[in-house]
Amino acid sequence: ASMAPRSLQETAAPLALCDVDSPGPLAIGESLVLCIFLSTTPPKKMIFKVQVEEYAELVLKGSQRLALDNQTMPIYAWAAKSHQEPALPVDCSSETDVLAREANVSCPQIYASGTHVAHLTNLVVNMRDGVISSFAWDNGCQGCGDDECMWSSTYVDIVNKTQNGLHFSQGTCGADFGKCATGDVSCDLKVFVTWAG
């Protein structure tokens, strides 16, 4: 199912929150709220209602404009389920943070660098007994050359705009930033959601 594009909204900086629903265990086809965040200044989020076990295409309308409007680069995206704790991206270089928060929030995913924009990403939502057990970005650079491959840092501090320099083993393809600016390519971020478990 393709979802209509939604506009981004500011979050309370420095906290990114996704406290919009309180679901219990869910069955196939029931609704679940996901928040997708961007590490802009201040952070932006978009709230989507998706159906458990149904493919969805989430379009972050306005994300291209944010990337082009001289935001501090790079810009990262991350996903969160509705919960009451802060929804900052998981520090995926820390096993402790991953184990503590992977059921609520994803690792960071590169969206825009100074030269490229990832306009398509794949998010796998892992379920166990009707609840989210973890998120996984499932991207790769098989469809593009090395010069178009962007690498996500395993940790991003959205408050201080720093990253740890460690990268995931798979990158994601990015369109040339200039093509977004001229309108040759639509660079609003699309997140394809699939399910496992």
Side-chain angles (χ1 to χ4, degrees):
S2 180
M3 300 195 66
R6 304 229 179 129
S7 297
L8 292 161
Q9 54 185 267
E10 287 186 14
T11 66
L15 295 179
L17 296 174
C18 185
D19 185 10
V20 292
D21 194 9
S22 56
L26 299 167
I28 293 173
E30 290 186 313
S31 295
L32 171 74
V33 172
L34 291 179
C35 297
I36 306 293
F37 294 89
L38 291 179
S39 66
T40 55
T41 305
K44 304 283 187 188
K45 78 174 169 187
M46 189 171 299
I47 301 168
F48 294 93
K49 188 175 277 193
V50 296
Q51 311 292 276
V52 174
E53 295 291 335
E54 290 186 19
Y55 159 86
E57 177 185 299
L58 313 179
V59 179
L60 280 73
K61 184 178 177 186
S63 55
Q64 174 178 327
R65 180 186 42 76
L66 291 172
L68 293 172
D69 285 350
N70 296 319
Q71 288 287 331
T72 303
M73 295 294 175
I75 298 174
Y76 280 85
W78 68 96
K81 74 174 187 182
S82 182
H83 66 289
Q84 294 180 346
E85 300 296 319
L88 298 171
V90 171
D91 176 355
C92 289
S93 63
S94 164
E95 185 177 347
T96 302
D97 198 37
V98 169
L99 291 173
R101 300 189 319 119
E102 71 179 345
N104 292 326
V105 187
S106 76
C107 296
Q109 167 62 52
I110 189 77
Y111 163 55
S113 69
T115 60
H116 289 83
V117 176
H119 55 277
L120 302 172
T121 60
N122 297 294
L123 177 67
V124 179
V125 180
N126 296 300
M127 301 285 288
R128 186 177 302 131
D129 299 324
V131 296
I132 293 176
S133 59
S134 67
F135 296 93
W137 294 102
D138 185 21
N139 301 300
C141 291
Q142 297 84 356
C144 60
D146 289 343
D147 58 336
E148 295 173 329
C149 189
M150 300 183 347
W151 299 94
S152 288
S153 196
T154 59
Y155 172 69
V156 176
D157 180 337
I158 66 165
V159 175
N160 297 312
K161 301 293 184 199
T162 59
Q163 38 192 340
N164 67 0
L166 301 174
H167 296 96
F168 292 104
S169 60
Q170 293 190 124
T172 190
C173 290
D176 184 279
F177 210 83
K179 292 180 181 176
C180 300
T182 60
D184 293 343
V185 176
S186 172
C187 295
D188 276 340
L189 179 60
K190 291 180 188 164
V191 178
F192 295 103
V193 178
T194 56
W195 305 83

